[in-house]
């Protein structure tokens, strides 16, 4: 089980700073491993065990206060509800959670679910400032996924996804069409 903690990004951290932020947070958590993802609004911490009250206070003092954002409310049922949740998570820049929703759609038999999972997964890795992982997914995984997209009806543009990932890492403005029935625009901007 993975514990997720959301902190407000009040200091204006960028994904390119995620590796240094991870080192700082791991030292505050007594070397407990943590995955750090940085969005324009939040810092997402994924740990193998929940963060305790004393650790949370140390994080608040040295990194950022807890986030007050809530999970998106999505009406409807079935695939339409899951699609709504995917779109809402993308708009909140919670790409890893959107990746998991894409996988859920794929398991439900929604044809574009696999592409949606990969798309959000690349952006989640970009939030970690992990250029190597982004390139691996783009070079190895995307061609395999793209070759199986017959009948999906959603074009995959690896060049555009690569550009979006680099812009997320660098905290530059980016607008990327997403793989949903009613594609929203994703914007990533520095405070």
């Amino acid at each position: 089980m993975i514990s997720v903690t959301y902190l407000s990004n009040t200091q204006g951290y960028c994904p390119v700073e995620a590796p240094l932020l991870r080192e700082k947070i791991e030292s505050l958590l007594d070397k407990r491993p943590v995955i750090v993802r940085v969005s324009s609004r939040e810092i997402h911490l994924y740990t193998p065990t929940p963060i305790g009250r004393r650790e949370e206070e140390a994080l608040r003092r040295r990194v950022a206060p807890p986030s007050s954002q809530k999970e998106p409310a999505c009406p409807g049922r079935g695939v339409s509800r899951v699609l709504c949740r995917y779109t809402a998570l993308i708009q909140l820049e919670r790409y890893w959670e959107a990746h998991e929703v894409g996988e859920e759609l794929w398991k439900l038999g929604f044809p574009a679910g696999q592409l949606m999972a990969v798309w959000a997964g690349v952006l989640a890795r970009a939030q970690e400032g992990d250029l190597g992982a982004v390139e691996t997914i783009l070079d190895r995984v995307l061609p395999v996924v793209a070759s199986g997209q017959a009948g999906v009806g959603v074009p995959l543009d690896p060049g555009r996804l690569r550009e979006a990932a680099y812009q997320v890492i660098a905290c530059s403005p980016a607008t990327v069409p997403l793989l949903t029935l009613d594609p929203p625009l994703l914007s990533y901007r520095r405070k």
Side-chain angles (χ1 to χ4, degrees), residues 3-76:
S3 174
V4 182
T5 303
Y6 298 106
L7 303 174
S8 293
N9 190 0
T10 54
Q11 301 296 321
Y13 290 108
C14 286
V16 73
E17 299 167 290
L20 293 173
L21 197 53
R22 186 186 78 236
E23 288 176 16
K24 183 178 185 177
I25 291 169
E26 283 180 346
S27 71
L28 291 171
L29 298 178
D30 298 323
K31 302 295 181 195
R32 185 171 1 151
V34 62
I35 295 172
V36 176
R37 294 191 174 98
V38 180
S39 80
S40 63
R41 298 176 209 128
E42 293 179 320
I43 300 165
H44 309 161
L45 308 179
Y46 301 82
T47 55
T49 56
I51 292 175
R53 175 171 243 114
R54 189 179 310 152
E55 294 168 325
E56 191 176 311
E57 288 172 7
L59 288 171
R60 182 180 297 131
R61 281 192 313 272
R62 303 267 314 272
V63 181
S67 174
S68 60
Q69 282 193 24
K70 298 197 170 33
E71 278 292 309
C74 292

Side-chain angles (χ1 to χ4, degrees), residues 103-104 112 140 142 150-151 173 178:
E103 286 185 341
E104 185 180 334
R140 295 185 189 163
L142 274 185
L178 295 172

Side-chain angles (χ1 to χ4, degrees), residues 125-168:
R125 291 305 235 163
Q127 284 182 317
E128 293 175 36
D130 190 346
L131 191 58
V134 167
E135 286 300 325
T136 298
I137 296 169
L138 290 168
D139 292 341
R140 295 185 189 163
V141 178
L142 274 185
V144 174
V145 173
S147 68
Q149 80 180 39
V152 170
V154 178
L156 179 64
D157 186 345
R160 185 176 282 178
L161 182 52
R162 177 177 266 113
E163 181 182 311
Y166 276 80
Q167 288 175 327
V168 166

Side-chain angles (χ1 to χ4, degrees), residues 4-6 37 42 44-46 71-72 85-86 89-90 92-104 120-121 124 127:
V4 182
T5 303
Y6 298 106
R37 294 191 174 98
E42 293 179 320
H44 309 161
L45 308 179
Y46 301 82
E71 278 292 309
R85 185 158 190 266
Y86 178 86
L89 288 167
I90 289 290
L92 290 173
E93 299 171 2
R94 291 186 179 177
Y95 302 134
W96 187 255
E97 288 84 349
H99 161 78
E100 291 178 332
V101 171
E103 286 185 341
E104 185 180 334
Q127 284 182 317

